Amino acid sequence: MASVEVSLKDIMTSVEGALGAAVVDYSSGMALGTMGGGKDLDLTVAAAGNTDVIRAKVRTMELLGLTGQIEDILITLESQYHLIRLVTGRSGNGLFLYLVLDKSRSNLAMARHQLKRVEEQLEV
């Protein structure tokens, strides 16, 4: 099992093109930890904003009567991918991993695979 800090370091070093990552509590919108980012990528603001994305999707699934779980949500921008992966382990209920990728330097399939691996090992 890996702590938040270890998990974020793992994401940033193992995912090609990673620009920033965060572990976020989507009940409060607070980031439990962040790594990377910068003046053009405020991960704290992004964490809070993406909490609204998850809440909206969960609400829509309820209205549609969909019973499956969200694995991940992908937002594609002109030059970036924003990947949100819900943490499903017993210790991570209510959390998500947030990863921002440079679209020109990343492999989306590999990033999803690595994020899943990190999510399975995360211990909060």
Side-chain angles (χ1 to χ4, degrees):
M1 292 295 152
S3 69
V4 169
E5 184 178 345
V6 169
S7 295
L8 291 172
K9 283 181 184 175
D10 189 4
I11 292 168
M12 293 299 293
T13 58
S14 68
V15 178
E16 183 70 28
L19 299 174
V23 176
V24 185
D25 176 344
Y26 67 80
S27 60
S28 68
M30 299 294 293
L32 303 180
T34 64
M35 189 164 287
K39 71 177 180 82
D40 294 332
L41 178 59
D42 185 332
L43 291 170
T44 304
V45 172
N50 283 302
T51 296
D52 292 335
V53 171
I54 292 172
R55 289 179 185 156
K57 188 59 188 173
V58 168
R59 195 169 40 254
T60 302
M61 289 177 64
E62 289 171 355
L63 291 171
L64 294 171
L66 299 175
T67 57
Q69 289 187 326
I70 299 170
E71 288 184 21
D72 57 40
I73 298 170
L74 172 65
I75 300 167
T76 305
L77 304 178
E78 187 175 320
S79 63
Q80 297 175 343
Y81 292 122
H82 290 234
L83 190 55
I84 300 166
R85 180 163 185 94
L86 274 67
V87 177
T88 57
R90 61 175 169 35
S91 69
N93 197 17
L95 301 179
F96 68 91
L97 294 170
Y98 174 60
L99 174 61
V100 179
L101 300 163
D102 179 326
K103 195 173 174 181
S104 67
R105 297 187 309 119
S106 62
N107 177 322
L108 185 56
M110 286 303 296
R112 289 183 71 219
H113 176 73
Q114 292 288 39
L115 208 55
K116 181 181 183 198
R117 180 186 56 77
V118 170
E119 178 256 328
E120 290 170 346
Q121 296 174 356
L122 179 64
E123 182 74 37
V124 180

